[in-house]
Amino acid sequence: MSNDHTDVQEFFTARAVGWDSRFPDDGPAYAAAVTGLGLRAGDRVLDAGCGTGRALPPLRSAVGPSGVVLGADLTPAMLAAATRAGRDRHGRLLLADVAALPLRAGGLDAVFAAGLIAHLPRPADNLRELARVVRPRGTLALFHPIGRAALAARQGRRITPDDLRDEANLAPLLSRSGWRMTSYVDEDARFLALAVRED
């Protein structure tokens, strides 16, 4: 994926309408990953790079009616697909770049990010921006509904040593960005790395 936002928007704009139908069975994996964040009623959470908003219903269930759920995405067509699917009822949708979020510092309890890391133009800076909007000891979930090997096979490519989601690369990247990795799972059925914002 190119580091150019225009290329990212074009890629997802072309796929937005049929995105959910390509991955119809991912719902339980999203719900399980949201559970890993340890959210409580009343918490404030961001789905960063929310796409069609598949994480918004389980995020809303986790924080309850008193919580705040935000979904931010760079691609208007993906947000439109989220609205057509009725997921805007579960959270407020924002057209925003996760590299420069229109949110105050320390205002959130957690960030959920599905499939986002591969699309970050400057991963350390961008993860630092996610840390900025989360309170100290808040949490981050980097998620994908299938693991690295399964995703590479689906895309007809090999995993390379510089893969950002490799544990040996991801832990120090998170550390440089204000996070401490607390859990790492990479299996065929899911990828989930959890981290805590350092004080």
Side-chain angles (χ1 to χ4, degrees):
M1 184 61 61
S2 167
N3 291 343
D4 181 355
H5 285 338
T6 302
D7 287 350
V8 172
Q9 285 179 315
E10 288 175 357
F11 177 88
F12 285 108
T13 296
R15 291 160 176 81
V17 170
W19 189 261
D20 286 349
S21 63
R22 292 178 63 197
F23 311 106
D25 301 323
D26 286 350
Y30 273 79
V34 165
T35 299
L37 277 172
L39 295 167
R40 298 175 303 226
D43 276 354
R44 300 152 297 169
V45 61
L46 169 69
D47 182 1
C50 68
T52 61
R54 290 181 291 171
L56 298 181
L59 288 170
R60 172 56 67 197
S61 293
V63 303
S66 63
V68 174
V69 177
L70 304 172
D73 203 274
L74 184 66
T75 306
M78 290 300 248
L79 295 176
T83 299
R84 281 192 304 275
R87 296 185 184 123
D88 58 328
R89 295 189 309 263
H90 301 281
R92 181 175 168 215
L93 299 177
L94 305 171
L95 179 61
D97 183 352
V98 299
L101 289 163
L103 302 172
R104 67 181 173 87
L108 300 173
D109 297 291
V111 173
F112 183 85
L116 178 69
I117 195 162
H119 303 290
L120 296 177
R122 293 179 312 283
D125 291 341
N126 303 147
L127 289 167
R128 196 171 296 116
E129 172 66 357
L130 296 180
R132 180 189 70 79
V133 300
V134 173
R135 64 169 172 78
R137 309 297 299 158
T139 53
L140 169 69
L142 298 175
F143 167 71
H144 201 283
I146 61 174
R148 294 185 314 125
L151 181 61
R154 177 190 287 175
Q155 296 173 341
R157 61 176 178 80
R158 292 178 178 222
I159 297 175
T160 60
D162 62 345
D163 181 350
L164 289 180
R165 294 189 311 153
D166 185 296
E167 186 173 12
N169 298 327
L170 186 58
L173 171 63
L174 286 167
S175 182
R176 290 193 307 273
S177 306
W179 299 97
R180 177 176 52 82
M181 192 160 69
T182 58
S183 175
Y184 181 91
V185 176
D186 181 18
E187 54 197 23
D188 282 349
R190 70 175 173 155
F191 173 90
L192 180 63
L194 299 174
V196 172
R197 184 189 180 279
E198 299 282 31
D199 296 338

